[in-house]
Amino acid sequence: MTDQHSIIMSNTEWKVHGVAVSTVNEINSAQFDSLVVVTTDGVALPQALEDFITASLEVDAALSKKCAVLRCPRVSGNRLVISPTGPITPYDDVRSIYEAARAGIERAHAAGSARPVLLVQPHPKWRQADLVALLGALEALYVPLQIRETFPDQAHKIEALGVYSEGVKAIEDLLKEAIALEISRGVSRDIGGSDPERMTPRATAKYLHDVFQGSGVKIRVVDDINTIEKEYPLFAAVNRAANSVDRHKGCIVFLEYEPKFYDKTVMFVGKGVTYDTGGCDIKAGGVMAGMSRDKCGAAAVAGFLKACDVLKPPIKVVAALGMVRNSVGEQAYVADELIRCRRGLAVRIGNTDAEGRMIMGDLLSEMHDRALNEKNPHIYTVATLTGHAVRAYGDGYTAAMDNHVARDLLHSTKLASSGDSIGDMVEISTIRREDLATHRGKVPGDQVHQAGNCASTACARGHQAPAAFLLLVSGLDGGQVPYTHLDVAASAGCLPDPPTAAPLLALANHYGLISTK
């Protein structure tokens, strides 16, 4: 395991993304060269700088709205970075803290600071604001995998990060937790953000093998085409065109974390489409660009397993990542095909660009069968599934849809609350009878209709209905196993923006990986 994916600790110093991170006891430490202060409504200015910042605000009112660098002999390097959240209204949330902390570190770096210190304070409105501030600052340290590999001299933005706290209890424990989560998000970003050739299906499997080597997470890769065609026929259909090119051949990566003692089992199926051409229903009009991000669902699940490996929660986690390229070619599957899924149902293909539900359907069916023998199971699918989710909720929001069992448990309501607390936002959608009706067989003898032939953004209930397809092909429309579909198309991060690893933080908060709530 490389330093990039592990916590290295010496006394109170850690490393994340190859950058040394430590707590400091003074704002003018000679070991650092700037201090970043997040200013916001409801939080007192740091005592040692209150008069200085107040006087500066009297001279320049813009300091309450825009990030700025001031010369201040009281702090490290004589360089004070003021990063304001701006006014906090009743409609704002803890993301304001996150964004200000990240912007402050980025501004310090732009000013020439190589060793900034972040000042962390509690917030009266948001209980996890101190952790959120740390996560925002740590995200600013991340450098994409292919930049690190291609330009080693650019692998690190800064040399070190210090953390000074006022009013925060157990800052070392909080910082270690934040670093564990950031390292885990780094795994998700590496997978989700790399291009289609660097992170092909089998290159993803190799990357994950390296990440989890010697860890508490077991990894198993299914890449035999005969096994795939027999056990996962819907996945095999999507893989058909890509399977004719050696480097693009698909695979399924199984990950499992099982502590000695646990009282619940969390089961995931992640969509890992390394590139989506749309298949024979090809994406036209410039909308194919950015489809390397169609693997961000699987990437987020892999990151969650990494967080479990580091933070050791008392839950069992099982994951299946369907890694495949939706290519177009002479072997490609096409609309009108009738394919018998793992559960034995006749599935009529309507649109090859609806490949995400195809690669997850049989894996979800397998997880459903396994769940019957697991302790208190809950199954998730995590996928950049529909443009409709983006249209419905806008950037930054995961759409959560419960089956009847999970809905009775108010699961998505609880998950959304966990996400709100840590700035990983979740919106709740409901699967209705119309959604199941949409995906029942249309042709006599057909049992499941895969998709309509229009884009999800042009369909009524365009992000809810695909969840109904997944219910039907897996059997989760009946029985007593709780299941939640998470559509992260709007929250995963679209090019040119960086991948976010959503909904890793919401899930971590919900399942107790984070000790402070």
Side-chain angles (χ1 to χ4, degrees):
M1 196 185 307
T2 66
D3 290 358
Q4 190 73 23
H5 304 128
S6 60
I7 294 179
I8 298 175
M9 186 176 78
S10 175
N11 296 324
T12 56
E13 182 176 291
W14 297 266
K15 274 198 172 182
V16 59
H17 305 322
V19 177
V21 181
S22 63
T23 57
V24 298
N25 297 319
E26 52 191 4
I27 62 173
N28 60 351
S29 169
Q31 298 178 19
F32 294 89
D33 59 10
S34 68
L35 177 71
V36 176
V37 177
V38 173
T39 58
T40 185
D41 294 347
V43 177
L45 294 171
Q47 186 174 4
L49 297 171
E50 182 178 7
D51 61 331
F52 182 88
I53 296 175
T54 300
S56 299
L57 284 166
E58 291 174 354
V59 173
D60 184 2
L63 289 175
S64 64
K65 299 176 182 178
K66 296 182 179 179
C67 198
V69 181
L70 305 176
R71 180 175 178 80
C72 177
R74 305 181 195 178
V75 303
S76 296
N78 298 325
R79 189 186 280 132
L80 175 64
V81 181
I82 304 294
S83 189
T85 63
I88 299 295
T89 75
Y91 295 93
D92 285 293
D93 55 64
V94 76
R95 287 177 295 178
S96 296
I97 300 294
Y98 186 100
E99 292 158 359
R102 182 183 60 199
I105 297 299
E106 291 172 345
R107 184 65 182 88
H109 171 60
S113 173
R115 304 175 67 86
V117 174
L118 174 71
L119 191 148
V120 178
Q121 297 173 286
H123 194 286
K125 185 176 182 179
W126 300 309
R127 291 172 295 173
Q128 291 182 291
D130 44 9
L131 175 61
V132 169
L134 289 171
L135 289 168
L138 292 171
E139 184 192 0
L141 308 184
Y142 176 77
V143 175
L145 174 67
Q146 287 182 270
I147 299 301
R148 302 195 309 265
E149 292 177 337
T150 308
F151 308 102
D153 59 319
Q154 299 178 31
H156 307 122
K157 295 180 181 178
I158 63 175
E159 298 173 6
L161 174 68
V163 176
Y164 177 84
S165 65
E166 282 194 359
V168 178
K169 298 178 181 179
I171 185 62
E172 288 85 3
D173 293 339
L174 189 70
L175 179 56
K176 186 175 180 182
E177 202 165 75
I179 288 172
L181 292 170
E182 175 56 26
I183 286 173
S184 303
R185 291 197 299 171
V187 170
S188 297
R189 293 192 205 104
D190 280 358
I191 296 171
S194 292
D195 77 24
E197 292 299 325
R198 171 59 183 88
M199 205 60 72
T200 64
R202 300 192 183 191
T204 303
K206 171 63 167 61
Y207 172 90
L208 289 172
H209 182 273
D210 292 344
V211 166
F212 291 115
Q213 187 174 13
S215 75
V217 174
K218 299 176 183 176
I219 182 169
R220 176 171 64 92
V221 179
V222 176
D223 56 14
D224 175 68
I225 189 60
N226 294 321
T227 301
I228 289 173
E229 289 175 346
K230 178 182 177 182
E231 299 293 332
Y232 314 105
L234 298 181
F235 179 100
V238 179
N239 183 53
R240 244 167 38 197
N243 196 64
S244 63
V245 179
D246 281 345
R247 71 181 189 279
H248 292 164
K249 290 181 176 181
C251 64
I252 299 163
V253 181
F254 289 92
L255 301 171
E256 185 168 329
Y257 162 82
E258 184 173 4
K260 187 174 182 180
F261 302 105
Y262 64 93
D263 59 5
K264 63 184 65 175
T265 306
V266 188
M267 310 179 79
F268 291 102
V269 175
K271 177 187 176 184
V273 176
T274 59
Y275 200 73
D276 182 16
T277 67
C280 287
D281 288 292
I282 199 159
K283 292 180 182 291
V287 298
M288 198 186 300
M291 285 298 104
S292 60
R293 294 288 178 85
D294 217 8
K295 57 189 182 304
C296 282
V301 173
F304 183 78
L305 266 292
K306 179 61 181 177
C308 290
D309 183 44
V310 177
L311 293 170
K312 312 297 184 190
I315 57 173
K316 180 179 178 180
V317 184
V318 180
L321 312 181
M323 306 305 305
V324 67
R325 179 175 173 126
N326 189 22
S327 294
V328 59
E330 60 186 7
Q331 296 295 329
Y333 83 122
V334 297
D336 297 348
E337 285 193 40
L338 190 64
I339 301 173
R340 188 174 181 178
C341 71
R342 179 187 178 93
R343 213 163 195 84
L345 303 176
V347 178
R348 180 74 63 176
I349 306 304
N351 189 335
T352 64
D353 197 19
E355 84 296 335
R357 66 196 73 176
M358 294 282 286
I359 70 168
M360 293 191 296
D362 288 332
L363 292 170
L364 184 59
S365 178
E366 180 178 20
M367 286 294 183
H368 182 195
D369 293 341
R370 289 187 60 177
L372 301 177
N373 297 311
E374 295 289 351
K375 189 182 299 184
N376 296 324
H378 194 115
I379 307 175
Y380 295 87
T381 43
V382 186
T384 49
L385 207 61
T386 66
H388 191 274
V390 184
R391 184 67 61 87
Y393 294 124
D395 291 340
Y397 295 88
T398 294
M401 289 149 273
D402 289 336
N403 73 343
H404 60 291
V405 185
R407 187 169 64 245
D408 287 346
L409 299 171
L410 301 177
H411 170 74
S412 284
T413 300
K414 297 171 185 175
L415 181 64
S417 178
S418 295
D420 284 351
S421 296
I422 202 164
D424 192 0
M425 316 309 284
V426 175
E427 297 281 16
I428 303 169
S429 286
T430 305
I431 303 171
R432 303 289 185 182
R433 61 181 185 174
E434 292 87 353
D435 303 319
L436 278 85
T438 295
H439 286 286
R440 298 197 190 279
K442 309 299 181 186
V443 178
D446 293 2
Q447 292 162 299
V448 181
H449 181 64
Q450 176 240 16
N453 55 14
C454 62
S456 69
T457 51
C459 297
R461 304 188 64 79
H463 72 271
Q464 297 99 325
F469 170 88
L470 292 167
L471 290 179
L472 292 172
V473 297
S474 66
L476 283 161
D477 56 322
Q480 293 302 312
V481 178
Y483 159 70
T484 303
H485 171 56
L486 300 175
D487 191 331
V488 298
S491 59
C494 294
L495 285 170
D497 295 328
T500 66
L504 191 160
L505 294 179
L507 289 165
N509 215 17
H510 181 72
Y511 283 108
L513 278 69
I514 299 171
S515 60
T516 56
K517 285 196 176 184

